[in-house]
Amino acid sequence: MIGLGTYAFFWEHSDRSPDPLPLVGAFERTRELGVELFQICDYAPLTGMSDREVGDAARAARELGLRIELGTKGIGLDHLERFLALAEAFDARLVRSMVFGPDSRPTLAEAGALLRAILPSYESAGVTLALETYEQLATDDLLGLVRDADSTHLGICLDPANVVARLESPRTCVEQTAPAVVNVHAKDFAFDRQPGWVGFTYSGARMGTGLHDYRHLLDTVRPRERGINEIVEHWLPWQGDPETTIRTEREWTRATLDHLRSFE
C-alpha cells in the first residue's frame, strides 16, 4: 500500500504553524486524499499520550478505515517494549526504528544483543521491526545486524536519501538492501548550488523532479509484488512563512501520491 506519514505533515504539525495539525487531523486529511495507511513516525507527542488518548486516536483511525504503522528512534529494550504496546493499541503490524536513539549509541555488538532480546516479543505479537537506512550507520553494518538476528520479523526500512550524508550511493543502497526491505520511505531529493557557487545544499525535491530513480527502486525491491508499504515523506525546506510552507507541503504530498500511483 501507499501511505502517508507524519513527515508528510512536518511543518503543519509543528509549532511554526499558526494552527498545528493534531494527529487525528492528519488521519482525516489522509483519508480525504484517498489513502488508507498512515505511519506515525517520530511524532513526539505520541509517547506522552495517556492510555485514554492513545485509545481515542486508535479508535479514530479504525473508524476512518486507516491502517497504522509506528516509527521511533532507538532499540533500547524498554523503549521497544513501549512501542510494542502502542502497536497493540493501534493494531499496527510494523514499527520502524533506528539503531541510535536520542540518548543511546550502542556498539554493533550491543545492538545485536538488544535485537536478539526484543525480537521474540515482536515475533509473538506478529509485529515487524524495521531498521532504517541512514547516515549514522553504514548500510553493510545495518544489514549485518539484520542477518545475524535471523528473524522474519526484522528487516530494513529503505530510505536511500539518508545515506548520501555518509557518501554512500542511494542506488547502491537500494540494491544492497533489497532482499531485506520490509518498508519504504518515499521522497525525492536533490542538490542545489549555493549563491556564488560556494557549495551545495542537499535537501528535498518535489517527487519526480529530483535525483531519486524510483522506477529503479520499484524494479529492484518489488515492494508491490511483496506486500511492502511505501510511506510518503518530505524534506521540504522552510519557504519563508507558514502559509507558503504549508501550502507547498500539501502540494508536494499530492504530487508524490500522483507520482507513486502513476507506476501502478
Side-chain angles (χ1 to χ4, degrees):
M1 297 177 69
I2 296 169
L4 299 184
T6 41
Y7 279 102
F9 299 91
F10 181 83
W11 293 115
E12 199 164 0
H13 277 311
S14 78
D15 58 10
R16 286 201 182 190
S17 169
D19 185 21
L21 185 70
L23 184 61
V24 173
F27 292 171
E28 292 168 345
R29 189 78 57 72
T30 297
R31 290 301 285 121
E32 289 168 3
L33 290 165
V35 177
E36 299 178 358
L37 172 67
F38 190 88
Q39 187 175 95
I40 309 171
C41 190
D42 300 342
Y43 182 70
L46 180 62
T47 54
M49 288 181 177
S50 66
D51 290 344
R52 179 175 179 177
E53 289 170 328
V54 169
D56 288 345
R59 183 166 51 255
R62 286 193 296 272
E63 289 173 353
L64 286 164
L66 267 185
R67 287 177 55 185
I68 297 295
E69 296 178 345
L70 300 179
T72 187
K73 296 176 181 177
I75 56 172
L77 296 183
D78 290 346
H79 187 65
L80 287 183
E81 286 172 357
R82 169 63 173 150
F83 268 81
L84 187 58
L86 287 168
E88 181 178 3
F90 281 99
D91 195 25
R93 299 295 93 195
L94 182 135
V95 173
R96 163 278 203 187
S97 196
M98 295 176 166
V99 173
F100 296 161
D103 303 310
S104 63
R105 293 179 66 89
T107 64
L108 289 176
E110 291 167 342
L114 289 168
L115 292 170
R116 287 190 295 273
I118 196 64
L119 280 169
S121 297
Y122 274 66
E123 292 165 353
S124 296
V127 176
T128 296
L129 181 62
L131 299 178
E132 185 163 348
T133 55
Y134 70 132
E135 73 283 355
Q136 296 187 45
L137 200 67
T139 301
D140 279 342
D141 290 337
L142 190 64
L143 281 168
L145 289 172
V146 172
R147 284 193 297 265
D148 291 347
D150 192 26
S151 171
T152 57
H153 285 77
L154 178 68
I156 296 293
C157 174
L158 175 60
D159 191 333
N162 290 339
V163 305
V164 173
R166 197 180 177 89
L167 298 184
E168 292 186 355
S169 160
R171 190 180 184 91
T172 301
C173 177
V174 169
E175 294 168 355
Q176 281 179 288
T177 61
V181 171
V182 294
N183 198 237
V184 173
H185 281 175
K187 62 173 173 282
D188 212 339
F189 46 90
F191 290 91
D192 287 323
R193 177 72 81 166
Q194 289 300 287
W197 285 56
V198 286
F200 297 87
T201 294
Y202 178 62
S203 66
R206 184 185 176 99
M207 193 70 172
T209 68
L211 297 172
H212 194 0
D213 185 351
Y214 206 77
R215 176 81 268 174
H216 171 257
L217 185 151
L218 291 176
D219 290 343
T220 304
V221 178
R222 298 183 301 108
R224 300 176 186 184
E225 294 89 341
R226 295 166 61 196
I228 295 168
N229 295 331
E230 303 160 62
I231 306 299
V232 172
E233 295 191 338
H234 307 310
W235 273 349
L236 173 66
W238 182 252
Q239 299 295 294
D241 62 77
E243 293 75 20
T244 304
T245 303
I246 291 169
R247 183 177 66 252
T248 305
E249 188 171 65
R250 292 176 180 178
E251 290 171 353
W252 278 27
T253 295
R254 287 190 291 270
T256 304
L257 288 172
D258 289 345
H259 190 76
L260 297 182
R261 288 166 175 165
S262 74
F263 293 108
E264 294 178 348

